[in-house]
Each structure stands twice: as structure tokens, then as C-alpha cells.
């Protein structure tokens, strides 16, 4: 069966520090991969999605970037974090259809 | 761009009663899907119910049902016999066929009172 792993669960980082959040999927090939952010008390905002290795679509211009170095690996990065980058980050995958499966999320606090 | 609007930031219901959460969306497409997701305090996203736009019949999953009004672009969620475990954030979401993207509303926080 398919599983999605996202880590770390919680992260506290100082302003200006780099960021790397990782997400991996098991049990499937060539999934669509997604990064969403949920600010406190807000809905989910799509940040990036990928339909294949090296293919990244950005939805919102910001301080973040995404990469897909392997088929089932999706990484969210920043060179210098801002206070506004704080939030709950969710990774998700699909088999190229409308059914998305979500990871357990990473709570990022930038201080 | 497609938008999803949830006009009720918060709702409350008495245990065992029925509550309806509202959602409207904006699209010019005919091939799409609509969803309701539940996010409990654990913050895990849980799919509650799914509706294909080409189906006229409203989706039902146990105590959860939808009222899908395609012409009005309305997609409300009805929770019957509310239970304490139904307390959560509920998100309405839209997926356009071929777009690869799931777009969410801002959510409705549901409180269930004992």
C-alpha cells in the first residue's frame, strides 16, 4: 500500500536561516506531488506541485523553492527564512487524478 | 482562476443535531470534482466526501451528505446526528479535470456542543 512520509513534524528556525523539508512517497510510481501551506486560522494555499522529476510548478511567488530530485521525493527549501514563512506545511501526492493523499504535516515556527 | 468560498468561519451544533456547512465555487469548466475535507486537532487531512460534477445525484457517506447545485455553483455539506468527534475544521475543495491542482476554501471551524 502507498504511504507518505513527511519530516520533521515540528521545526523552530531563526529568521535568515535556511530551510529544508522533505517528503517521500512509497508504494507508487510517478506520483504527482504537492506542497501546501496553512497559515494560522487560514485555509490551505498551494505552493508548488510536480508531475515528474525536475518538473516544478510554482503557484505563489515567495521566498520558497521546491525540488524533485527523485521520482518519489519532494523537497521544500528556502535560503533565508522570513517571519512570514511560519505555518503548517503539508505534502500530498496523487496518482495523477483528483484524489490527493496528505502527509502528517510540519509545523514551522520562524522566530 | 478558480476560487472556493466558505462564508461561515465558525459554526456550532448540538450533539445529535444536524448542521449544514456552505461552500460556493467559481468556474467556467464542466469537468471537475468537489470535496469536503476534515481537519481535526491532529491536523491530519481526512477526506469526508467527494462529488463528480457530471453526476446529478448527491454524494452520501454515512452521516455526511452534500447538496450539489451545479447551476448555482453551490456545494454544501450536511452532517446528521452530529457527534463530538465531528468537531474539526472543514474545508471545501475544487479539482478541475486535467489541471492537477486541488484548490481549497478557507475553512469552517465546527464546534459540537454536548
Amino acid at each position: 500500500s502507498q504511504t507518505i512520509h513527511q519530516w520533521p513534524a515540528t521545526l523552530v528556525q531563526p529568521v535568515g536561516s535556511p530551510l529544508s523539508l522533505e517528503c517521500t512517497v512509497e508504494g507508487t510510481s510517478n506520483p504527482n506531488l504537492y506542497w501546501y501551506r496553512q497559515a494560522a486560522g487560514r485555509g490551505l494555499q498551494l505552493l508548488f506541485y510536480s508531475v515528474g522529476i525536475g518538473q516544478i510548478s510554482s503557484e505563489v511567488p515567495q521566498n520558497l523553492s521546491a525540488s524533485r530530485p527523485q521520482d518519489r521525493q519532494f523537497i521544500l527549501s528556502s535560503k533565508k527564512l522570513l517571519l512570514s514563512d511560519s505555518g503548517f506545511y503539508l505534502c500530498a501526492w496523487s496518482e495523477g487524478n483528483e484524489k490527493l493523499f496528505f502527509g502528517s504535516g510540519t509545523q514551522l515556527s520562524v522566530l | 482562476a478558480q476560487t472556493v468560498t466558505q462564508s461561515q468561519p465558525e459554526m456550532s451544533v448540538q450533539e445529535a443535531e444536524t448542521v449544514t456547512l456552505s461552500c460556493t465555487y467559481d468556474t467556467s469548466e464542466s469537468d471537475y470534482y468537489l470535496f469536503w475535507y476534515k481537519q481535526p486537532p491532529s491536523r491530519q487531512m481526512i477526506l469526508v466526501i467527494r462529488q463528480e460534477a457530471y453526476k446529478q445525484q448527491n454524494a452520501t457517506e454515512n452521516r455526511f451528505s452534500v447538496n450539489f447545485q451545479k447551476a448555482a455553483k453551490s456545494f454544501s455539506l450536511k452532517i446528521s446526528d452530529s457527534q463530538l468527534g465531528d468537531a474539526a475544521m472543514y474545508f471545501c475543495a475544487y479539482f478541475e479535470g486535467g489541471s492537477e491542482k486541488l484548490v481549497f476554501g478557507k475553512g469552517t471551524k465546527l464546534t459540537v456542543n454536548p
Side-chain angles (χ1 to χ4, degrees), chain A residues 4-6 23-25 31-36 44 46 48-50 68 72 74 89-95 99-105, chain B residues 37 44-45 102 104:
Chain A
I4 179 170
H5 302 279
Q6 187 180 343
C23 172
T24 60
V25 181
N32 284 3
L33 297 171
Y34 304 83
W35 279 112
Y36 284 87
L44 276 75
L46 178 61
F48 301 95
Y49 69 96
S50 171
R68 184 170 178 172
R72 291 168 290 173
F74 205 25
Y89 289 82
L90 279 163
C91 181
W93 72 275
S94 78
E95 292 181 332
K99 296 180 182 178
L100 266 67
F101 301 92
F102 287 85
S104 55
Chain B
Y37 279 86
Q44 180 68 50
M45 294 294 287
L102 187 64
F104 286 86

Side-chain angles (χ1 to χ4, degrees), chain B residues 73-112:
Chain B
K73 297 180 183 176
S74 171
F75 183 61
S76 60
L77 175 69
K78 185 172 81 171
I79 306 174
S80 303
D81 185 25
S82 297
Q83 301 176 359
L84 295 177
D86 294 333
M89 284 290 289
Y90 286 82
F91 293 98
C92 180
Y94 165 98
F95 186 98
E96 181 181 311
S99 77
E100 317 292 351
K101 297 184 290 185
L102 187 64
V103 178
F104 286 86
K106 292 188 175 181
T108 296
K109 182 180 180 181
L110 178 66
T111 301
V112 181

Side-chain angles (χ1 to χ4, degrees), chain B residues 16-94:
Chain B
E17 297 295 310
T18 295
V19 65
T20 298
L21 308 184
S22 301
C23 173
T24 58
Y25 58 95
D26 182 28
T27 185
S28 58
E29 301 296 327
S30 59
D31 177 24
Y32 56 89
Y33 301 82
L34 296 164
F35 304 84
W36 280 98
Y37 279 86
K38 170 184 177 181
Q39 188 182 43
S42 68
R43 307 191 80 172
Q44 180 68 50
M45 294 294 287
I46 301 168
L47 178 62
V48 174
I49 202 164
R50 167 180 172 267
Q51 175 82 42
E52 295 106 322
Y54 64 86
K55 288 188 176 179
Q56 293 185 344
Q57 185 174 5
N58 290 325
T60 298
E61 290 287 342
N62 300 315
R63 298 182 294 106
F64 298 87
S65 61
V66 299
N67 183 5
F68 174 45
Q69 300 291 326
K70 191 172 183 178
K73 297 180 183 176
S74 171
F75 183 61
S76 60
L77 175 69
K78 185 172 81 171
I79 306 174
S80 303
D81 185 25
S82 297
Q83 301 176 359
L84 295 177
D86 294 333
M89 284 290 289
Y90 286 82
F91 293 98
C92 180
Y94 165 98

Side-chain angles (χ1 to χ4, degrees), chain A residues 41-110:
Chain A
R42 303 289 299 277
L44 276 75
Q45 180 185 37
L46 178 61
L47 301 176
F48 301 95
Y49 69 96
S50 171
V51 300
I53 295 175
Q55 301 179 60
I56 308 295
S57 296
S58 174
E59 289 296 298
V60 182
Q62 61 213 322
N63 187 41
L64 302 170
S65 62
S67 62
R68 184 170 178 172
Q70 301 181 41
D71 181 43
R72 291 168 290 173
Q73 183 184 29
F74 205 25
I75 298 172
L76 183 69
S77 303
S78 174
K79 293 182 179 179
K80 290 185 178 181
L81 283 169
L82 306 172
L83 289 174
S84 57
D85 292 323
S86 294
F88 187 63
Y89 289 82
L90 279 163
C91 181
W93 72 275
S94 78
E95 292 181 332
N97 56 28
E98 77 288 355
K99 296 180 182 178
L100 266 67
F101 301 92
F102 287 85
S104 55
T106 296
Q107 178 62 52
L108 172 66
S109 298
V110 182

